[in-house]
């Protein structure tokens, strides 16, 4: 069985187990804790293992603020390069498109 087929089968089984679990939770009086645990354990076995360990929150926040700082710097540079009448996103997109077309017509871009 190919990996794709196995993944598709696992997804189908997971959907079925999820539906069954939803039903069981809606009718708790008819099921025991062990019944519910059994479904949850089956679902846990089918989920593919996460290949990447979780990233510590401190590292994620550091990466996020670095991204924000870079974007702010890009926006500052862009605002200095744009004509004064370019102020909103539509104007910026039009300005960039205009400059790309100018470069293309001058032969600086190859197709």
């Amino acid at each position: 069985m190919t990996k794709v087929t196995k993944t598709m089968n696992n997804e189908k089984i997971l959907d079925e187990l999820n539906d069954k679990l939803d039903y069981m939770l809606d009718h708790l009086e008819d099921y025991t804790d062990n019944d519910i645990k059994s479904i949850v354990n089956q679902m846990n076995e089918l989920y593919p293992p996460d290949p990447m360990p979780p990233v510590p929150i401190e590292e994620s926040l550091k990466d996020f603020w670095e991204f924000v700082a870079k974007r702010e710097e890009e926006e500052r540079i862009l605002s200095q390069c744009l004509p004064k009448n370019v102020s909103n996103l539509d104007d910026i997109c039009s300005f960039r498109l205009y400059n790309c077309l100018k470069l293309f017509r001058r032969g600086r871009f190859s197709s």
Side-chain angles (χ1 to χ4, degrees):
M1 185 181 308
T2 67
K3 187 175 183 178
V4 172
T5 306
K6 185 176 180 181
T7 301
M8 290 172 58
N9 286 340
N10 283 356
E11 288 175 9
K12 183 180 176 188
I13 295 169
L14 279 169
D15 287 341
E16 291 171 0
L17 288 171
N18 195 37
D19 291 343
K20 188 172 184 178
L21 182 61
D22 286 343
Y23 180 83
M24 291 169 77
L25 293 174
D26 288 340
H27 301 89
L28 279 175
E29 65 277 356
D30 298 332
Y31 298 97
T32 67
D33 289 348
N34 288 335
D35 295 329
I36 294 172
K37 287 178 184 176
S38 171
I39 298 293
V40 171
N41 288 337
Q42 291 176 57
M43 292 172 77
N44 285 338
E45 289 175 12
L46 291 172
Y47 276 110
D50 190 1
M52 300 289 290
V55 177
I57 189 69
E58 295 83 11
E59 187 176 334
S60 295
L61 283 171
K62 180 180 160 263
D63 292 344
F64 171 75
W65 288 117
E66 285 176 5
F67 170 79
V68 168
K70 287 178 186 175
R71 282 296 289 147
E72 287 174 344
E73 179 63 13
E74 290 171 359
E75 292 297 324
R76 185 189 65 74
I77 292 168
L78 185 60
S79 69
Q80 292 174 349
C81 297
L82 293 175
K84 297 299 178 205
N85 62 343
V86 175
S87 60
N88 62 40
L89 186 57
D90 289 336
D91 291 341
I92 292 170
C93 291
S94 297
F95 178 75
R96 287 181 174 171
L97 180 60
Y98 170 76
N99 282 329
C100 285
L101 289 173
K102 277 190 351 188
L103 291 173
F104 182 76
R105 290 187 69 182
R106 290 182 184 165
R108 292 190 182 170
F109 285 135
S110 59
S111 49

